[in-house]
């Protein structure tokens, strides 16, 4: 085939999963008579929760987003001013925002530059008597050593929350990520492996938190109990917000849950091809999956030599129609945190990934020719630099 034609093909960074069955289900609920519920906690919402419970063997509540599941977590552990929450700086803003909103002090810690995940050493350095919780982010669908983290949290009587937004289906030593902490959170944002557009879920491992979680999700009312026939009217009993996913979104999501393994495997296969096909030379490297993890193929990222090389890479790829974004602008150096504390911590590995990491296109519907194109162009770039 003519190389010029191959390279003319557009390769977006992401395309949300679309299954034609989703549209059928949505049509069914919007065309049916008025008995059918399109608000939250409806027919498809319940089905999604039942499927997710089968996978996780845990209580699960669908939410409007992972951000909101994290907000629920922050409320559920009674986060208050004076509490400190240990969080990686290298993450999406929601991880910190949920706890910041409740007045806690966020202690940002550094990551391992090979995996992008926090480590026990960094946690130990940050723990003190005010530490209320550790929020571990399963970056790229991988994790730190969860058995050690669980032991530490037990010993210190600290809550453990897993931001598993990127980790649906990922495992640590054979056990699903999101099931180790008191609470775990999932995201079904359109950039995640399976999606409802916007959406998420709260995994409840600490059963004592379930009753209150249902109230917080339902605007601080005991409406869930009312619907179950446990109380004869419902009233305002606690704080909370509107955290229930609309049934339209749940209907979009539902068919994807049944094939999440197929979706993850497709992504893993693309990553395998990238890693085998793309030749990188030190100090440039791929983000790694530790041996103890079974990854869900959430992302494939290259860490460039420096920011200049990353910018050159992104431009080069763009010129060849391939979109390769970077993330995260680290939270410890965000305008909000700098304004608040007027100083910046030193987190060298976080800074490194913030400045040098770039992501390759990765989605369920990515075609083989597009994978080949990304590999070819990436190799061309790194050969010449
Ligand atoms: C995507 C993501 C979130 C936010 O998820 P939403 O569902 O968009 O709120 C939070 N944390 C991490 C690590 C994420 O990747």
């Amino acid at each position: 085939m003519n190389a010029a034609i191959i390279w003319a093909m557009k390769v977006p960074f992401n395309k949300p999963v679309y299954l034609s069955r989703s549209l059928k289900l949505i049509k069914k609920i919007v065309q049916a008579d008025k008995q059918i519920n399109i608000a939250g906690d409806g027919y498809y919402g319940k089905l999604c929760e039942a499927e997710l419970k089968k996978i996780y063997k845990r209580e699960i509540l669908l939410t409007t987003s992972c951000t909101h599941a994290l907000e629920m977590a922050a409320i559920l552990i009674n986060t208050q001013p004076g509490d400190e929450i240990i969080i990686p700086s290298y993450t999406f803003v929601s991880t910190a925002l949920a706890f910041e909103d409740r007045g806690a002090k966020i202690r940002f810690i550094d990551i391992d530059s090979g995996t992008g995940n926090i480590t026990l050493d960094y946690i130990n350095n940050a723990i003190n008597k005010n530490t209320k919780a550790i929020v571990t982010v399963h970056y790229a669908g991988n994790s730190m050593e969860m058995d050690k983290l669980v032991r530490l949290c037990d010993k210190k009587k600290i809550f453990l929350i897993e931001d598993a937004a990127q980790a649906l289906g990922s495992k640590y030593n054979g056990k699903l990520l999101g099931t180790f902490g008191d609470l775990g959170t999932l995201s079904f944002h359109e950039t995640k492996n399976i999606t409802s557009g916007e959406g998420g879920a709260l995994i409840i491992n600490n059963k004592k938190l379930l009753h209150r979680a249902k109230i917080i999700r339902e605007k601080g009312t005991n409406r869930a109990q009312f619907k179950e026939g446990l109380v004869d009217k419902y009233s305002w009993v606690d704080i909370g917000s509107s955290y229930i996913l609309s049934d339209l979104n749940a209907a979009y999501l539902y068919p994807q849950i049944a094939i999440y393994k197929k979706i993850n495997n497709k992504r893993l296969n693309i990553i395998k091809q990238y890693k085998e096909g793309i030749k990188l030379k030190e100090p440039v490297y791929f983000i790694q999956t530790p041996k103890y993890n079974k990854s869900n193929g959430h992302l494939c990222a290259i860490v460039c030599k420096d920011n200049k090389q990353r910018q050159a890479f992104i431009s080069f790829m763009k010129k060849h129609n391939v979109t390769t974004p970077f993330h995260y602008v680290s939270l410890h150096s965000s305008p909000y945190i700098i304004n608040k504390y007027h100083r910046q911590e030193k987190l060298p590995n976080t800074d490194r990934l913030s400045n040098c990491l770039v992501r390759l296109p990765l989605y369920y519907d990515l075609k083989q020719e597009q994978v080949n194109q990304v590999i070819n162009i990436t190799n061309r770039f790194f050969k010449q630099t």
Side-chain angles (χ1 to χ4, degrees), residues 46-289:
K46 296 267 193 232
L47 284 180
C48 288
E49 285 177 354
E51 286 307 302
L52 290 167
K53 276 183 205 175
K54 266 190 233 161
I55 296 164
Y56 281 92
K57 316 250 184 321
R58 292 289 195 281
E59 291 295 338
I60 294 205
L61 298 176
L62 274 191
T63 60
T64 30
S65 63
C66 180
T67 304
H68 285 168
L70 287 161
E71 285 182 17
M72 288 178 64
I75 296 172
L76 280 166
I77 66 164
N78 289 318
T79 307
Q80 283 169 21
D83 292 340
E84 293 191 12
I85 314 285
I86 296 175
I87 286 178
S89 170
Y90 193 72
T91 182
F92 191 63
V93 64
S94 307
T95 318
L97 187 62
F99 299 89
E100 178 72 19
D101 279 352
R102 309 225 66 78
K105 177 164 191 253
I106 311 297
R107 287 291 303 263
F108 290 113
I109 61 170
D110 211 355
I111 45 171
D112 177 271
S113 56
T115 67
N117 273 284
I118 55 173
T119 70
L120 213 59
D121 284 344
Y122 294 129
I123 293 172
N124 273 318
N125 285 338
I127 283 188
N128 63 36
K129 63 176 182 2
N130 296 322
T131 306
K132 179 76 160 265
I134 295 166
V135 188
T136 184
V137 173
H138 300 312
Y139 179 71
N142 300 319
S143 73
M144 58 175 294
E145 293 162 287
M146 294 306 290
D147 51 352
K148 291 184 185 161
L149 180 57
V150 168
R151 233 176 290 143
L152 178 71
C153 290
D154 281 349
K155 195 174 120 201
K156 302 265 183 188
K157 303 209 173 5
I158 294 169
F159 284 104
L160 174 56
I161 293 161
E162 298 176 74
D163 180 345
Q166 303 180 8
L168 179 102
S170 290
K171 291 177 175 173
Y172 168 80
N173 283 342
K175 189 178 168 204
L176 282 164
L177 292 176
T179 64
F180 288 86
D182 294 280
L183 297 159
T185 63
L186 297 172
S187 173
F188 304 123
H189 186 260
E190 70 167 15
T191 51
K192 302 304 197 293
N193 290 25
I194 68 171
T195 179
S196 54
E198 303 276 352
L202 182 67
I203 306 172
I204 299 158
N205 303 312
N206 182 341
K207 285 208 183 104
K208 281 182 269 182
L209 302 175
L210 177 64
H211 175 71
R212 193 166 174 233
K214 287 183 180 170
I215 290 169
I216 290 164
R217 190 176 68 147
E218 186 66 276
K219 302 111 191 153
T221 74
N222 57 357
R223 187 167 180 209
Q225 274 189 300
F226 171 72
K227 283 171 86 179
E228 290 165 26
L230 299 173
V231 289
D232 58 6
K233 60 178 171 32
Y234 74 88
S235 17
W236 181 14
V237 295
D238 202 338
I239 59 168
S241 191
S242 180
Y243 290 136
I244 300 181
L245 189 71
S246 154
D247 226 43
L248 291 171
N249 298 71
Y252 188 93
L253 176 69
Y254 180 57
Q256 296 175 36
I257 301 176
I259 62 159
Y260 83 94
K261 280 188 181 163
K262 186 177 165 198
I263 293 170
N264 287 356
N265 285 334
K266 169 79 191 269
R267 300 177 73 108
L268 283 166
N269 176 271
I270 294 166
I271 294 176
K272 187 161 174 269
Q273 293 192 57
Y274 281 158
K275 286 190 171 173
E276 285 172 5
I278 295 170
K279 305 295 171 211
L280 300 178
K281 283 193 305 270
E282 287 271 320
V284 183
Y285 63 94
F286 282 107
I287 285 292
Q288 295 298 318
T289 297

